[in-house]
Amino acid sequence: MKNNDGDKLFELVTEINEMHYEMNKIIIKEYQSLLDDDFSNNQMILMDIVKKFKAISIGEIAQLMKITSSAVGQIVTKLENENYLMRMINPKNRREILVQLADKGFRYYEKEEKINREIVNRFYSEMELSEMEELKKILTKLSKIVEKKCTNQNWEETNLDQHKG
């Protein structure tokens, strides 16, 4: 890529990121009050992991979040006390404790889905279906590039390679 093309690409990516950030900021401001639950980032990440896996051990959550099992246990205890999560004995391995959503956790995600559907109906429905399919295709391609580059080598190596020659 020519240096001039690199500058143009940088400008485009910056503009896209700024538009995306501003759009999300407006949507969050509009809808955040409907989700009156106040989670920290780690609590939200943990809740999303539990939702995705349905039932998962504290050790597995710790690996996915790249934090200690003790830290996960503390977060789970807080969310368990608020009835978002619950612990249960793994029926396949009675020595293992699994974490799953509790009543309030299920209600939270039901409410989140209603809000997401409202956002889709209000904003994204203004786009042509073909445009949304193209956007998905582009974001999928970019996501695969990022995933490949970040899992095959660390960022510093990638960055150094790009600045050689």
Side-chain angles (χ1 to χ4, degrees), residues 103-120:
D103 291 340
K104 207 169 173 183
F106 283 112
R107 287 196 306 272
Y108 174 82
Y109 282 105
E110 286 170 2
K111 195 183 331 178
E112 183 185 70
E113 183 177 333
K114 285 179 185 173
I115 292 168
N116 287 338
R117 287 186 180 278
E118 169 67 22
I119 290 167
V120 168

Side-chain angles (χ1 to χ4, degrees), residues 40 42-47 49-50 56-81 85-87 97-100:
S40 71
N42 276 347
Q43 288 173 330
M44 197 68 256
I45 291 167
L46 192 146
M47 291 268 298
I49 289 170
V50 172
I56 185 169
S57 73
I58 286 180
E60 291 169 319
I61 295 169
Q63 282 183 318
L64 291 168
M65 291 182 69
K66 295 180 177 26
I67 61 175
T68 66
S69 292
S70 174
V72 170
Q74 290 174 11
I75 297 168
V76 168
T77 297
K78 182 169 179 18
L79 292 171
E80 187 176 34
N81 290 340
L85 297 177
M86 63 187 220
R87 298 174 208 234
I97 303 294
L98 299 177
V99 179
Q100 62 186 31

Side-chain angles (χ1 to χ4, degrees), residues 5 9 12 16 19 33 35 50 52 59 65 70-72 74 81 96 105-106 113 117 123 130 135 146 161-162 165:
D5 289 345
L9 178 62
L12 282 169
I16 290 167
M19 281 187 281
S33 64
L35 285 173
V50 172
K52 179 180 179 182
M65 291 182 69
S70 174
V72 170
Q74 290 174 11
N81 290 340
E96 183 178 51
F106 283 112
E113 183 177 333
R117 287 186 180 278
F123 305 113
S130 62
L135 179 59
V146 169
D161 289 345
Q162 289 178 348

Side-chain angles (χ1 to χ4, degrees), residues 128-152:
E128 295 293 327
L129 191 57
S130 62
E131 291 171 319
M132 292 306 299
E133 288 168 343
E134 185 65 22
L135 179 59
K136 180 183 180 231
K137 180 180 163 188
I138 291 166
L139 290 174
T140 299
K141 182 176 180 178
L142 179 59
S143 178
K144 286 179 182 175
I145 291 168
V146 169
E147 190 175 316
K148 180 181 174 196
K149 296 267 185 183
C150 288
T151 54
N152 286 348

